[in-house]
Amino acid sequence: MFREIYDKGIMSYTEYLFLLSILTKPQTGFHIAFNMFDTDGNERVDKQEFLVLESIFSTARRERLQRSDTPAASAGAESEVLDDSLQKKHQVDTTLLVHFFGQKGKQDLKFEDFKMFMENLQTEVLEIEFNEFSKGLPTISELDFAKILLRYTHLQADQYEMYLERLIDKLSEEKGISFSEFKSFCQFLNTLDDFGIAMRMYTLAEQPISKDEFHRAVQICTGHSLSEHIVSTVYNIFDDDGDGALSYKEFIAIMKDRLHRGFKHNLRSEGWEAFRHCVKAEMKETK
């Protein structure tokens, strides 16, 4: 849809937040929401029901942006006023609404069609990130994979270097990470909350977890398995003492930064702190 319309479409601010939610939420959450509105059990919603669903998923992200002192927050406040006035008066049907419900807005949206839209949108964004490092090749290096995972984190420069150096020291040979492996891991990150619950239940004393335990938790949360190579690469990045165990609390904390792709709440910093933050961000992008 986005490739066909190029820059000729119209999108509301609520939809923008909703699409961001699609990038960071597991499909199960949307399926539950669909079922809540699906009173006759046919897994379809109409346009008005979808607008309510869309508003629910965008509200939390809107509040997060408004709490943060960022250009996106101030722009969002202005966009929200226009967005609400247009939608309440039903003057404009956005391109997304037309795509889902037709020109007259009378069609129903099947969950299977929405699920395909979610998968395509997630894949499109992940391909952009992957291709930035692959340069047309079918794989990216393990080091590039680590840089992608850490690029939106709030690590200090020395901590960031420590993770990369740890991977380099432990990497016996470069096999490369395929897009399929990269996509599977990023889709797993959308279930981080479920993963955290599974780990807390499995290790009541919050002990580090082994690779087998990690594999099992991912299988439970996603229904799919990650490749042995990508799990080994993750452990090479985050296993600080080389004992084959991972501090899942540290892993989850860092991966949540990655998941939010820079939209996580940040306090405004000025002067030297702001300058240092910018330098650190540039170092991550150029290394």
Short mmCIF file of all heavy atoms in Angstrom, two decimals, residues 1-9 95 98-99 120 124:
data_model
loop_
_atom_site.label_atom_id
_atom_site.label_comp_id
_atom_site.label_asym_id
_atom_site.label_seq_id
_atom_site.Cartn_x
_atom_site.Cartn_y
_atom_site.Cartn_z
N MET A 1 0.82 -1.20 0.00
CA MET A 1 0.00 0.00 0.00
C MET A 1 0.85 1.26 0.00
O MET A 1 0.64 2.17 -0.79
CB MET A 1 -0.92 0.01 1.23
CG MET A 1 -1.85 1.21 1.28
SD MET A 1 -2.63 1.46 2.88
CE MET A 1 -1.26 2.15 3.81
N PHE A 2 1.87 1.31 0.89
CA PHE A 2 2.69 2.51 1.01
C PHE A 2 3.52 2.74 -0.25
O PHE A 2 3.76 3.88 -0.64
CB PHE A 2 3.59 2.43 2.24
CG PHE A 2 2.84 2.53 3.54
CD1 PHE A 2 2.71 1.42 4.36
CD2 PHE A 2 2.25 3.71 3.92
CE1 PHE A 2 2.01 1.50 5.55
CE2 PHE A 2 1.55 3.81 5.11
CZ PHE A 2 1.43 2.70 5.93
N ARG A 3 3.97 1.66 -0.87
CA ARG A 3 4.75 1.82 -2.10
C ARG A 3 3.89 2.33 -3.24
O ARG A 3 4.37 3.08 -4.10
CB ARG A 3 5.39 0.48 -2.48
CG ARG A 3 6.48 0.03 -1.51
CD ARG A 3 7.21 -1.18 -2.03
NE ARG A 3 8.26 -1.61 -1.12
CZ ARG A 3 9.18 -2.52 -1.42
NH1 ARG A 3 9.16 -3.08 -2.61
NH2 ARG A 3 10.09 -2.87 -0.53
N GLU A 4 2.63 1.93 -3.25
CA GLU A 4 1.74 2.36 -4.34
C GLU A 4 1.35 3.82 -4.21
O GLU A 4 1.26 4.54 -5.20
CB GLU A 4 0.49 1.47 -4.35
CG GLU A 4 0.76 0.04 -4.81
CD GLU A 4 -0.48 -0.82 -4.73
OE1 GLU A 4 -1.53 -0.30 -4.28
OE2 GLU A 4 -0.41 -2.00 -5.13
N ILE A 5 1.09 4.28 -2.98
CA ILE A 5 0.63 5.67 -2.82
C ILE A 5 1.80 6.64 -2.79
O ILE A 5 1.61 7.84 -3.03
CB ILE A 5 -0.21 5.83 -1.53
CG1 ILE A 5 0.65 5.55 -0.29
CG2 ILE A 5 -1.43 4.95 -1.56
CD1 ILE A 5 -0.07 5.83 1.02
N TYR A 6 3.00 6.14 -2.48
CA TYR A 6 4.21 6.97 -2.39
C TYR A 6 3.96 8.12 -1.41
O TYR A 6 3.78 7.89 -0.22
CB TYR A 6 4.62 7.45 -3.78
CG TYR A 6 5.99 8.10 -3.82
CD1 TYR A 6 7.09 7.48 -3.24
CD2 TYR A 6 6.17 9.35 -4.41
CE1 TYR A 6 8.33 8.06 -3.25
CE2 TYR A 6 7.42 9.94 -4.44
CZ TYR A 6 8.49 9.30 -3.86
OH TYR A 6 9.73 9.89 -3.87
N ASP A 7 3.90 9.38 -1.88
CA ASP A 7 3.68 10.51 -0.96
C ASP A 7 2.33 11.16 -1.21
O ASP A 7 2.11 12.32 -0.86
CB ASP A 7 4.80 11.54 -1.11
CG ASP A 7 4.86 12.13 -2.52
OD1 ASP A 7 4.19 11.59 -3.41
OD2 ASP A 7 5.60 13.12 -2.71
N LYS A 8 1.39 10.44 -1.82
CA LYS A 8 0.11 11.03 -2.20
C LYS A 8 -1.01 10.69 -1.23
O LYS A 8 -2.16 11.00 -1.48
CB LYS A 8 -0.29 10.53 -3.61
CG LYS A 8 0.71 10.88 -4.69
CD LYS A 8 0.83 12.39 -4.86
CE LYS A 8 1.69 12.76 -6.06
NZ LYS A 8 3.11 12.47 -5.87
N GLY A 9 -0.71 10.04 -0.12
CA GLY A 9 -1.75 9.64 0.83
C GLY A 9 -1.90 10.64 1.96
O GLY A 9 -1.21 11.66 2.03
N THR A 95 -5.97 7.36 4.06
CA THR A 95 -5.60 6.33 3.08
C THR A 95 -5.69 4.94 3.70
O THR A 95 -6.10 3.99 3.04
CB THR A 95 -4.18 6.58 2.58
OG1 THR A 95 -4.09 7.92 2.07
CG2 THR A 95 -3.82 5.60 1.47
N VAL A 98 -9.35 3.85 3.87
CA VAL A 98 -9.82 3.48 2.53
C VAL A 98 -9.26 2.12 2.14
O VAL A 98 -9.95 1.28 1.55
CB VAL A 98 -9.42 4.55 1.50
CG1 VAL A 98 -9.75 4.08 0.07
CG2 VAL A 98 -10.14 5.87 1.80
N HIS A 99 -8.01 1.88 2.48
CA HIS A 99 -7.37 0.60 2.17
C HIS A 99 -8.08 -0.56 2.87
O HIS A 99 -8.28 -1.62 2.29
CB HIS A 99 -5.90 0.65 2.59
CG HIS A 99 -5.16 -0.63 2.39
ND1 HIS A 99 -4.78 -1.10 1.14
CD2 HIS A 99 -4.71 -1.56 3.29
CE1 HIS A 99 -4.15 -2.26 1.28
NE2 HIS A 99 -4.09 -2.56 2.57
N ASN A 120 3.58 -7.49 6.86
CA ASN A 120 4.23 -6.78 5.76
C ASN A 120 4.89 -5.50 6.24
O ASN A 120 6.01 -5.16 5.81
CB ASN A 120 3.21 -6.46 4.66
CG ASN A 120 2.77 -7.70 3.89
OD1 ASN A 120 3.45 -8.72 3.91
ND2 ASN A 120 1.64 -7.62 3.22
N GLU A 124 8.85 -4.84 6.14
CA GLU A 124 9.35 -3.71 5.35
C GLU A 124 10.38 -2.89 6.15
O GLU A 124 11.45 -2.56 5.65
CB GLU A 124 8.18 -2.81 4.93
CG GLU A 124 8.54 -1.74 3.94
CD GLU A 124 8.54 -2.24 2.50
OE1 GLU A 124 8.18 -3.40 2.27
OE2 GLU A 124 8.93 -1.46 1.62
#
